[in-house]
Every structure is written in C-alpha cells, then in structure tokens.
Amino acid sequence: MSDQRPVIGITMGDAAGIGPEIIVKSYANPDLYRYARAVVIGDAGRLAKARDLLGVQSVQIRAIETIDEAQFVPGVMDCIDLRLIPDDLPFGKLSAIAGDGAYQFIARAVELAKQGRIGAICTAPLNKEALHAGGHKFPGHTEMLAHLTGVEEVSMMLVAPNLRVIHVTTHIGIIDAIRKIEPGLVQRTIERGYNTLRKAQIQNPRIAVCGINPHAGENGLFGYGEEEEKIVPAIEALRAQGLNIEGPLPADTLFFRAGRGDFDLVVAMYHDQGHGPVKVMGLEAGVNITVGLDVIRTSVDHGTAFDIAGKGIADERSLIEALRQGAELASRH
C-alpha cells in the first residue's frame, strides 16, 4: 500500500535562533509522523548540536544530499544538508552567516516544491536583520517567497483556534500602509482569502472586513474618509459577485465576534491590526500561511527568540500545527 501522507519540506530558519530546537522536538513528537513524511532542509551539524543540548537521544539525524535518499522512518530526521553553518556559531546572537543560511534553505525548498518533490514548505523562523546582513534584502519570508516563485503579489494569513486573519498590508510602516491600501488591493486580498477557504472545504465563507480608523471612521467622524474611498468599493464589487461579506467594521469588536464564531475570515488592513489578536491567543497556537503562491507554505507564527535560543525551552507546538496545516493543504491541492 502506498503512503498517502504528503511530503513536507521543513526549512531550518535562522541557525542562531530556536528553529533547530523546535525541529528536533517536533521529530520526537509522534504527531509529526502521523501528518506527513517530513524532510528538513538545513544543516545536519546544527541540528545535531540542538539535539544534544536538548538531550533528545530518540532522534537520529541523517545527512542526505537529495530527497531521493530520504527514508521517512520514525525517529530518523532526514536532512538535506547544505553545510553552511560553522560548528562554533553561537546561539542567540545575530549572524550574517545564519541569515544567508536561512535564505539558502528557503531557496532549496522552493526548488523542490517547483519540481513537485515536496507538497508543501513549512518554515522555522528567520531573523530579518540577519537576513539583511547576509545580503538578502527582503522584509521577511512572505516577500522572499514571492520573489523566489516569481509571483507579484501574495498575502499573509494567520490561523489560530477560532480565528483566521488575512492582511491587506504587512511589513511596512502604518503611514505607508494607509497610502498603499486601495480598492484593487483590498479586493485581490479578499479574493485570495476566499479561494483559500474554499479549497479548505468552507463552501460559503463568512468574511468580515476591518476599517482603518477607530470605529471604522464612524461615518466620517474619524479620519479623512479612508473607509469609503479605499475599502467600500472592494466590498461592493465582491458582494455583487455573491460573496458573503460585511464591513468595513470596527476592528475592536470585530475580532471578538470572529473569535466567538460569527465569521470564517477577518480582513485586516495592516500588520498589527491582524497580528495582535492572533498572538494574544498564544504564540504556540498560531500558524502563518502565505496565500497566493504557486507552492504551499505554512510557518510558525513566532520569531527566532534569540533570548531563549540554545536553552532548550522553546515550544514546538506552533511548528507541529504548521506542519499539520501544510499537510492538510497539500492533500487537497
């Protein structure tokens, strides 16, 4: 009988952060093998160092050159070893070498995904400053993946228990975000979210759209008519297409309503508007999905946590959940 579990590529992220530790902990968790056949794209020596500091002797790390060598055996971590990380690289400190490595791991994973060798990419966290120091000027994973896949525009969707949030803008300042928001971008963002939910078997997604200003402008009382100018035309166009959509709504009450189950998707206008409510639920609960790519990508919804890297206390639950959701999306792709 053939193994129906999808093949998922896990990228190691920044070697100085908690990525290696949460990957080792995930391989010690039986759930990983239940969801997928996983292969790591990273540095086998760094993963071995993380395993040793964790004292997880149940995980064997096996360096391989190509995915054809992967065995997908419980208790064995197959690692496509790019051998980019020096043995003496310290945990918890910014490193251009680690930043470049994080980029190279992603680039190899994208190649494998494009070739159809892996069904999805699941990413451990990278550090943006280290990424830039390593010569790769991207705001983060989302923009890097868009570049590597040749896609002009993608969206970030955060998924937590009882809440899904897609962002119209992400890694730009608030003033720039307000300038960038316009009806076409809002409409394309909502359409990407709608299509993703349809693929997840949600037949008629209930979508709610945040305003920009407090109280969604309150009929012009706050702001300069941004809701009417930048958001309302997109909502009207999508309603005309038959989408079940409400807004623009005040964000403060909207997220409460979404959390109790009134909506399947919230459309946030800028980074902190969407990230804050998700992260209040707990960093271990959130998953980041890049929407609009030709490949499936899920990620933990936390950073490299340099303050605890190398201490063996990082929580792997967000990575396990990201892997689960990546496997689920790959199975339906």
Side-chain angles (χ1 to χ4, degrees), residues 141-164:
H141 266 126
T142 304
E143 297 82 3
M144 186 197 316
L145 284 157
H147 170 76
L148 288 168
T149 56
V151 175
E152 289 188 9
E153 192 176 89
V154 296
S155 298
M156 177 187 292
M157 181 185 289
L158 301 184
V159 180
N162 304 317
L163 185 62
R164 301 178 191 88

Side-chain angles (χ1 to χ4, degrees), residues 194-218:
Y194 171 83
N195 291 334
T196 299
L197 267 58
R198 287 293 303 273
K199 288 177 183 176
Q201 310 302 314
I202 299 173
Q203 296 303 319
N204 185 29
R206 298 162 300 163
I207 301 169
V209 183
C210 293
I212 295 172
N213 294 296
H215 301 192
E218 200 160 306

Side-chain angles (χ1 to χ4, degrees), residues 27-269:
Y27 269 84
N29 187 323
D31 285 344
L32 179 142
Y33 307 97
R34 204 152 49 88
Y35 299 138
R37 291 172 287 162
V39 60
V40 179
I41 300 98
D43 188 278
R46 192 62 169 184
L47 291 160
K49 182 166 285 191
R51 177 198 59 192
D52 293 344
L53 73 85
L54 289 166
V56 180
Q57 301 307 316
S58 60
V59 177
Q60 175 190 342
I61 295 165
R62 182 170 169 268
I64 59 177
E65 296 287 333
T66 69
I67 199 165
D68 293 321
E69 301 170 58
Q71 295 178 346
F72 305 117
V73 176
V76 177
M77 182 193 301
D78 295 304
C79 173
I80 297 176
D81 187 9
L82 301 194
R83 296 187 293 275
L84 296 174
I85 307 303
D87 290 340
D88 60 353
L89 183 84
F91 281 101
K93 293 187 178 179
L94 190 78
S95 164
I97 293 173
D100 176 60
Y103 173 85
Q104 302 300 339
F105 305 149
I106 287 286
R108 178 65 64 87
V110 169
E111 287 178 12
L112 291 169
K114 284 182 173 180
Q115 294 164 3
R117 307 307 306 278
I118 58 177
I121 300 169
C122 179
T123 60
L126 56 73
N127 180 280
K128 297 173 180 64
E129 190 177 350
L131 183 70
H132 288 195
H136 308 287
K137 307 297 184 183
F138 298 98
H141 266 126
T142 304
E143 297 82 3
M144 186 197 316
L145 284 157
H147 170 76
L148 288 168
T149 56
V151 175
E152 289 188 9
E153 192 176 89
V154 296
S155 298
M156 177 187 292
M157 181 185 289
L158 301 184
V159 180
N162 304 317
L163 185 62
R164 301 178 191 88
V165 184
I166 194 167
H167 294 71
V168 176
T169 66
T170 49
H171 295 121
I172 55 176
I174 186 66
I175 294 173
D176 294 328
I178 293 170
R179 288 196 190 107
K180 185 174 181 179
I181 296 166
E182 50 86 20
L185 177 59
V186 173
Q187 181 169 342
R188 294 190 299 274
T189 302
I190 297 170
E191 288 170 341
R192 282 189 283 271
Y194 171 83
N195 291 334
T196 299
L197 267 58
R198 287 293 303 273
K199 288 177 183 176
Q201 310 302 314
I202 299 173
Q203 296 303 319
N204 185 29
R206 298 162 300 163
I207 301 169
V209 183
C210 293
I212 295 172
N213 294 296
H215 301 192
E218 200 160 306
N219 298 315
L221 183 62
F222 303 115
Y224 299 92
E226 287 87 357
E227 281 75 19
E228 290 296 323
E229 174 191 346
K230 296 171 175 285
I231 302 173
V232 170
I235 293 174
E236 291 178 344
L238 292 167
R239 278 191 188 134
Q241 296 176 24
L243 271 68
N244 183 359
I245 185 167
E246 291 186 36
L249 298 172
D252 53 357
T253 52
L254 169 50
F255 282 101
F256 168 76
R257 293 179 59 194
R260 74 182 182 189
D262 290 5
F263 303 108
D264 299 302
L265 179 66
V266 174
V267 183
M269 290 295 123

